[in-house]
Amino acid sequence: MTFEEVRRLLRLMNVEMDQEYAFGLFQEADMSNSGTLEGEEFVYFYQALTKRTEVHEMFEQFSDDGQKLTLLEFVDFLREEQKERERATDLALELIDRYEPSESGKLRHVLSLDGFLSYLCSKDGDIFNPACLPIYQDMTQPLTHYFISSSHNTYLVGDQLCGQSSVEGYIRALKRGCRCVEVDVWDGPNGEPIVYHGHTLTSRILFKDVVATVKQYAFQASEYPLILSLENHCTWEQQLTMVRHLTEILDDQLLSSTLDGLLPTQLPSPEQLKGKILVKGKKLGTLEDDLEDEEEVTEPQLERQQGSELPLGSPSEPVTLELSHLNKDKKKKSRSVLCPALSALVVYLKSVSFRSFTHSKENYHFYEISSFSETKAKSLVKEAGNEFVQHNAWQLSRVYPSGLRTDSSNYNPQELWNVGCQMVAMNMQTAGLEMDICDGLFRQNSGCGYVLKPDFLRDIQSSFNPEKPLSPFKAQTLLVQVISGQQLPKVNNTKERSIVDPLVRVEIYGIRPDTTCQETNYVENNGFNPYWGQTLCFRVLVPELAMLRFVVQDYDWKSRNDFIGQYTLPWTCMKQGYRHIHLLSKDGISIHPASIFVYICIREMEELQPGESEF
């Protein structure tokens, strides 16, 4: 093979590297001086090309003879460096059997350099703790105790002004483990309700097609309960059509009464609700009224605030609410009609308007849920963080993006998770930092869409306030040594230079004092095997809430750095030691074999004294 043929082959293998460096290796391998590589010469060239010098040096550091790791040496490495502790011996035997390519090595329980590198690049050498990949959390606690993967305007695959509405939006959301999808329903032609973003130019889809899609994909990625967040704008007649489609299409998957027919004292757990679809929406009266099956209809009584509880209605006649207010001395009326048959499908998730935390505590039930705009929710976090935490310990909250986000952009969900908001709804069709954080949190627990909140967010008497975190939350120090990168792809073909100049940026998202970032220097003109060898240090006050995002960028002195790849994970799911981080694209898709190699060390710090955390 000529050098030009070798370069073409390397490109096919997704190997982008500096031409001068590659040509130097080519000449070194061309021992016959023929200008081509033949047989063993190409093997030599490829081995020189793929040699991981930093791993080789590591291997020699832990190996007595530099040729192999004995079982005892490998056990020491796993215990001391990889922090595997008491399981190191059993794990060493498993890993040798799994990754050592030589049969004789397996029989002698030793690990060669090739086996060592295979282990480091594998899932067992990944930064994400494999113990957090299956369902590992307690799934028997009330729904209020979990973060729930939630989607906003799920039907949209574009922006919320002119974008396309499609059942594809539901398919994508459900396939990625989303457990709360939104359905905005309006009157449609021929008596069939339609779904779209009201009063905009977004396209329309049939409600029955949405329900059929939900039926098909609801439990493909997760067996835990799915919530349909209904925004009902339909007339009485088309609400009855909605009821018919929900009951006929979803059949026994639809939860239409309490699990045991009795009045509960708390919300059921994800485990109890497996395989069930719950409707969230307005409800006439209370769950107690439903269970008592009262025959008499009470007088409609309006609450003082528009959009709050709706009164009981006759099963045979529409219930009409008149909400009046003065505007420039002229009385205006708006009318809202709720069909009792649709109301009856709302069991554990009755929508109520939020007035204050005190009002909720005194007037609402645990099965009622309030929705907050991101602006309102962020304001409450700052003004009454602890009250918000206590509220979310007993009642569900849903937060949705501001209506000003006409481009369907997202807010950072982290600050809402910090006060325990369960359903932080995201525009899942819009990739970026915010969705990386969301995907990172829900990557754990088998991607089932439910993540158990830390204990201090599940206590109705919790003293935790994310704006002023105090003891007993223990701070930790994180040391990240960014060692090297492997096969980082070129992303900007218009850039003058043909090869990337990569740098690594480590970002932490958590409570406000913990949210920070640091980055390495850039390595010039090397995307194939850049070496940094730089250590970054972070101090984190509340690690239980922290998310880590590793971002690789292509340095550009003229303009903003170009994004190459990222990986985001919860602090609590991070493995210590020498770890590979396999990069994902902007859309969360693997860009294998691109990765970075790091060393992670976490040190416990003494318990903070009151006031210490306020920087």
Side-chain angles (χ1 to χ4, degrees), residues 370-524:
S370 296
S371 290
F372 304 83
S373 71
E374 66 169 286
T375 306
K376 177 65 175 176
K378 288 178 180 179
S379 174
L380 289 170
V381 171
K382 289 183 173 61
E383 295 168 5
N386 178 243
E387 285 184 272
F388 213 166
V389 168
Q390 293 181 353
H391 173 86
N392 288 323
W394 72 276
Q395 193 177 62
L396 289 166
S397 292
R398 180 178 181 272
V399 183
Y400 56 89
S402 165
L404 299 177
R405 295 183 181 273
T406 54
D407 58 351
S408 291
S409 59
N410 281 306
Y411 50 80
N412 188 337
Q414 185 67 52
E415 55 186 309
L416 290 320
W417 292 334
N418 290 344
V419 290
C421 291
Q422 297 87 352
M423 301 182 208
V424 182
M426 307 290 287
N427 287 304
M428 290 191 166
Q429 74 274 26
T430 307
L433 160 67
E434 297 81 10
M435 274 310 303
D436 292 344
I437 295 172
C438 185
D439 288 340
L441 177 74
F442 291 105
R443 185 166 283 121
Q444 63 185 307
N445 219 28
S446 192
C448 75
Y450 286 85
V451 169
L452 188 65
K453 298 193 291 187
D455 54 3
F456 55 84
L457 294 182
R458 309 195 305 261
D459 180 3
I460 59 173
Q461 296 180 325
S462 175
S463 60
F464 179 70
N465 182 346
E467 295 295 298
K468 299 175 182 177
L470 303 174
S471 299
F473 309 104
K474 290 187 176 180
Q476 292 181 334
T477 296
L478 169 67
L479 297 174
V480 180
Q481 183 187 12
V482 182
I483 302 171
S484 62
Q486 295 77 44
Q487 300 191 44
L488 306 177
K490 179 170 176 53
V491 291
N492 186 354
N493 293 320
T494 63
K495 191 176 174 182
E496 290 179 11
R497 291 175 132 172
S498 61
I499 310 300
V500 298
D501 302 326
L503 62 85
V504 177
R505 182 180 172 92
V506 180
E507 303 169 346
I508 296 183
Y509 298 92
I511 62 169
R512 185 174 45 80
D514 289 346
T515 301
T516 185
C517 68
Q518 295 180 42
E519 63 185 38
T520 67
N521 299 326
Y522 69 91
V523 174
E524 188 173 348

Side-chain angles (χ1 to χ4, degrees), residues 110-125:
V110 298
L111 197 63
S112 65
L113 175 61
D114 286 342
F116 184 64
L117 181 58
S118 293
Y119 153 65
L120 289 175
C121 294
S122 72
K123 284 191 177 296
D124 291 297

Side-chain angles (χ1 to χ4, degrees), residues 155-157 159-168 170 183-189 192-210 238:
Y155 46 87
L156 290 179
V157 291
D159 67 69
Q160 59 185 31
L161 279 185
C162 306
Q164 180 186 359
S165 299
S166 171
V167 293
E168 183 65 28
Y170 292 92
V183 191
D184 287 354
V185 198
W186 301 77
D187 279 357
E192 283 292 344
I194 55 174
V195 174
Y196 82 109
H197 199 244
H199 310 299
T200 67
L201 298 177
T202 57
S203 58
R204 278 83 160 147
I205 51 178
L206 290 174
F207 175 73
K208 65 180 179 182
D209 290 345
V210 170
Q238 294 213 12

